[in-house]
Amino acid sequence: MASPPLQQSSFLLASLKADYLNKPFLQRCQDLVKVIDDYPAKELHLLFTWLVESVFGSLDGSIVGWNVRFVQARTNEYNTIVEFLDPSGPMMKLVYKLHAEEYKYDFPISYLPGPVRASIQEGVLPDCPLFHNKLQFPPSGLLSLSLSLNPFEYYMFYFAASLIVQRSYLPGQHFSPSDSAYFVLVDSYLKYFLPTEGNVPPSLVPVVRGTVSPPPPRSPIVPFTGYGVHHTSLLKRHISHQPSMNADPAAQEIWRSETILQVFVEMWLHHYSLEMYQKMQCPQVKEPFCPTEEHVLVVRHLVKHLHSFSSSQRPELITSSPSAHSHTSPLEEFKRVVIPRFVQQKLYVFLQHCFGHWPLDASFRAVLETWLSYLQPWRYTPEKQSPHMDNQDRTVPDKWAAFVQENLLMYTKLFQGFLNRTIRTDLVNPKNALMVFRVAKVFAQPNLSEMIQKGEQLFLEPEHVLHHRQHRFLTPSLGGSFLSSRQPFITDSVFKVKSHVYSLEGQDCQYKQMFGAEVRNTVLRLSQLIAQAKQTAKSISDHSAEEAANQSFLSWFGFGSSDLNTSYLGNDIDYMGLDSIKKTDEYLDRTLDYICQIFKLNSAQLSQLMVSFVSTQDDGGSKQLPDCIQEANGLLLTDLGRLQMINGLRKFDIDYQGDPELQPIRSYESAVLVRLLYRLSSLINERFAGEMDSLCSRRGFSSRLARYFLTASSTAETSKRSPLTRRSLERQPQPRISLRYLGSYRTLLSIFLLYVIASFFGFGPVSFIFWGLLACFCHGVVMTMFADKRKTH
């Protein structure tokens, strides 16, 4: 009896595949909408996996699909894709149709994040409830394991996985991640399934056989050995206390909220376990996964929405006792625990990896803003701040002290990681200066530094004091509720802070205080680097102003500065203009003010320290080499020297060390003349090489005069300024004739002007050339005589 529907489904699938190649995109989508509306679930079942792969592409990257991540709002396909994949659109209608019939689809574990995949292959059940009771064991063994997912889970897994699959967009196409169809769909799914107002909307498809039920509860017999604490679904815990499934309609729908959040967190954040992160501190370990800037921007949007979602719970539940939470709706309970239970640990390890491995460039801004968004949940509360109040004047409400304490490492450990990055970056670059300013501005918010210090004090409280208070103030039967609330509250806060730190860093972690002496010294060092960067920006500004004033219409002749090494090459600020330099100075000035507020530094003493440091740099720093040590093969930069060069504080006067005749043709030289003169001088040098060498190797005045004309200046002077190897220092210049200077526009113009002047005194071409050569010869004789006198002296 199943044969006709199967044949019809196969024919329908073949027809859609043919249309996929022949029909335009809009017509294909219209046909899909009609198929979803007209056909029953039994016939749509075989189309589902093909359709999902056609939309999002294959997980191995071989099939591009609709390229949802790179479709921008200005394209024709944008509105069609967004409407088709909308939470209330045709694709989700298909998902609910299939879900009502309880169909299952296999998702290979090989496309799961590394820690999850490794855990399953080792026979350990991941602690996320999303993977419980879903493993399928094929005959081929653990390497081909798959998850048996319902249609909603399968669709969301594919949607989330498509973000981390490596794909490329067309060259020359301008791509903005926040303007793509994928980013808009992420926002739509979050707002629909994790609403900040009201409940989750019900399923779109009316089911005749019953309600659209959540996945079945996990079986108590699990073939894997679990680790950690398994948190059962909030829905299942709530339903067990309900007398009827129809008593609370939201109880039937919150499973979708849990599912979409767990899928997003697992697929986007769970790429590094704590054990893997500790191994990656060793430089020999290769990175298992490198997130992209687009990936981080989507994670930031997730963090911002979760703060809004969590802050939208009813005010009376925020301050109520834990016993009152058992009477709340599933959605309100989900809002209360969504961040600490599902997000905190995985986001912390994700950000730790990014702080330690992201390139030292301006693209780190995406990671930085994700971190700062997580640190400021009060920015996403329903309460409206005064519009005329500046951001840095807004005091952090005291009710957020618990959040700060329970996320202490997010504030302290990552701040120290940011400090370590900052002292290795170019602070003259306005983009880097802006990032330092942003962090300082956030941490300088009134009351925040006090909350962080309080959290550190709670963590550092001795263990024996904690146990003493627990035995003194708490009893097994009453839990201390009959006593004053102060001591139990402090004891509970100490336990939460210690539990947070130990769960993320391990029981044997060595905690470094954010307001301790070591970090304070690093902050002072950063202040000195900021002062140096301000001084460097000022010198660049002055140098640029001087160059602009010295421009003239003869600059194309080469009368301007022809030394390429005189321009500042330490960073990429030259092409940004003077306005960017002014922004850099403004950002760094305000950063210093915020640093003084955060760490309670004396602004007068800090200013005096920076003034003395800058004056020392002015006295000799600009004329000195970067810090380096002399080795057998030349100079070797130290870490301090690299830091000085990165920030443009010192630099080598780089000179060309190769054959002077083979230097690139300059803009002030004639390419034709340079090439012709090189060939001519090469012929002369090859023909008379032996004669010139014997002449220069003799003793006497004539040999010294020949060496003046036929050999280049010694590299001894250069070796004091540029790092040279021993081989280059030992290289002896060979005597030869060089005519390249005659190819310079400057030389040609000078000769022409001298000839015009000489013509007024009756000199002809031959006499002009004769007297010119004679003048050059006399100049050489004088210079040789003076050189001999200097040596004698």
Side-chain angles (χ1 to χ4, degrees), residues 161-287:
S162 65
L163 176 65
I164 58 179
V165 175
Q166 295 297 327
R167 305 189 193 277
S168 58
Y169 53 95
L170 297 177
Q173 177 185 1
H174 177 70
F175 169 63
S176 173
S178 59
D179 196 32
S180 67
Y182 187 89
F183 195 91
V184 172
L185 288 171
V186 170
D187 181 68
S188 299
Y189 291 153
L190 290 175
K191 290 179 178 177
Y192 188 88
F193 295 108
L194 301 171
T196 57
E197 297 180 358
N199 292 321
V200 181
S203 300
L204 303 177
V205 180
V207 183
V208 179
R209 299 194 316 166
T211 59
V212 179
S213 60
R218 182 165 61 111
S219 173
I221 302 175
V222 182
F224 280 27
T225 304
Y227 67 90
V229 179
H230 298 298
H231 302 289
T232 58
S233 170
L234 297 174
L235 171 66
K236 286 173 273 185
R237 184 184 65 185
H238 182 83
I239 290 177
S240 63
H241 294 87
Q242 292 286 340
S244 171
M245 282 290 292
N246 297 324
D248 187 359
Q252 301 181 22
E253 303 299 332
I254 192 179
W255 69 268
R256 293 179 299 166
S257 304
E258 276 195 76
T259 298
I260 191 173
L261 176 63
Q262 292 178 9
V263 170
F264 286 175
V265 170
E266 292 296 319
M267 297 301 293
W268 294 345
L269 296 180
H270 198 184
H271 293 275
Y272 319 99
S273 64
L274 288 174
E275 296 79 8
M276 184 183 298
Y277 177 74
Q278 292 169 359
K279 293 179 182 178
M280 290 181 62
Q281 305 307 306
C282 178
Q284 287 79 16
V285 178
K286 185 179 179 181
E287 292 185 60

Side-chain angles (χ1 to χ4, degrees), residues 371-385:
W371 174 47
L372 296 181
S373 295
Y374 184 84
L375 298 186
Q376 303 177 87
W378 46 87
R379 290 183 55 194
Y380 309 101
T381 56
E383 297 88 1
K384 302 296 183 182
Q385 299 279 1

Side-chain angles (χ1 to χ4, degrees), residues 66 93 165 172 229 272 372 385 394 400 451 537 550 554 571 626 637 655:
W66 291 1
K93 183 178 180 180
V165 175
V229 179
Y272 319 99
L372 296 181
Q385 299 279 1
R394 296 176 178 175
W400 293 106
M451 291 180 179
N550 292 333
L554 293 177
N571 54 56
L637 275 173
D655 291 330

Side-chain angles (χ1 to χ4, degrees), residues 425-430 532-544 547 561 563-576 581 584 622 642-654:
T425 56
D426 176 14
L427 296 180
V428 183
N429 189 312
Q532 294 173 2
K534 285 168 55 64
Q535 185 69 15
T536 303
K538 182 178 182 301
S539 63
I540 295 173
S541 178
D542 296 341
H543 179 69
S544 301
E547 284 190 342
S561 174
D563 186 5
L564 297 179
N565 295 317
T566 58
S567 61
Y568 181 76
L569 300 176
N571 54 56
D572 57 350
I573 198 174
D574 290 321
Y575 63 86
M576 296 181 184
I581 300 178
T584 298
S622 60
R642 293 188 184 92
L643 182 63
Q644 291 168 339
M645 293 190 69
I646 288 174
N647 289 280
L649 307 176
R650 297 183 186 180
K651 64 178 180 178
F652 290 105
D653 292 330
I654 303 298

Side-chain angles (χ1 to χ4, degrees), residues 490-508:
I490 294 178
T491 305
D492 184 58
S493 299
V494 171
F495 174 78
K496 287 182 178 179
V497 174
K498 288 181 179 290
S499 175
H500 157 69
V501 174
Y502 290 145
S503 65
L504 295 181
E505 292 292 326
Q507 291 286 341
D508 56 347

Side-chain angles (χ1 to χ4, degrees), residues 386-547:
S386 176
H388 55 77
M389 185 182 297
D390 196 9
N391 287 335
Q392 64 265 26
D393 296 331
R394 296 176 178 175
T395 302
V396 179
D398 292 333
K399 67 178 183 179
W400 293 106
F403 177 88
V404 174
Q405 294 166 8
E406 294 169 16
N407 292 271
L408 185 63
L409 290 176
M410 284 285 194
Y411 292 88
T412 59
K413 184 77 177 289
L414 293 183
F415 179 81
Q416 296 167 30
F418 178 74
L419 279 181
N420 293 331
R421 285 184 58 92
T422 303
I423 60 178
R424 293 181 287 129
T425 56
D426 176 14
L427 296 180
V428 183
N429 189 312
K431 295 180 180 179
N432 294 334
L434 175 61
M435 287 192 283
V436 181
F437 163 74
R438 287 280 297 120
V439 173
K441 181 179 179 181
V442 168
F443 277 84
Q445 294 177 89
N447 206 28
L448 179 57
S449 59
E450 288 79 4
M451 291 180 179
I452 298 174
Q453 284 182 295
K454 178 62 176 176
E456 291 192 323
Q457 292 172 4
L458 293 174
F459 173 73
L460 296 174
E461 188 162 344
E463 292 288 343
H464 67 275
V465 176
L466 176 62
H467 295 318
H468 175 70
R469 287 180 176 176
Q470 286 177 334
H471 289 298
R472 179 181 176 183
F473 291 102
L474 300 179
T475 64
S477 59
L478 299 178
S481 60
F482 59 90
L483 297 171
S484 63
S485 61
R486 175 172 176 78
Q487 292 296 345
F489 171 77
I490 294 178
T491 305
D492 184 58
S493 299
V494 171
F495 174 78
K496 287 182 178 179
V497 174
K498 288 181 179 290
S499 175
H500 157 69
V501 174
Y502 290 145
S503 65
L504 295 181
E505 292 292 326
Q507 291 286 341
D508 56 347
C509 70
Q510 299 295 325
Y511 182 77
K512 185 189 298 183
Q513 297 184 60
M514 176 177 167
F515 295 93
E518 186 175 348
V519 176
R520 191 181 185 89
N521 290 334
T522 306
V523 170
L524 291 176
R525 183 183 177 190
L526 174 62
S527 302
Q528 292 178 341
L529 293 177
I530 290 175
Q532 294 173 2
K534 285 168 55 64
Q535 185 69 15
T536 303
K538 182 178 182 301
S539 63
I540 295 173
S541 178
D542 296 341
H543 179 69
S544 301
E546 291 176 2
E547 284 190 342

Side-chain angles (χ1 to χ4, degrees), residues 313-321 324-325:
Q313 59 180 311
R314 297 200 300 271
E316 63 271 16
L317 297 178
I318 300 178
T319 57
S320 62
S321 62
H325 296 152

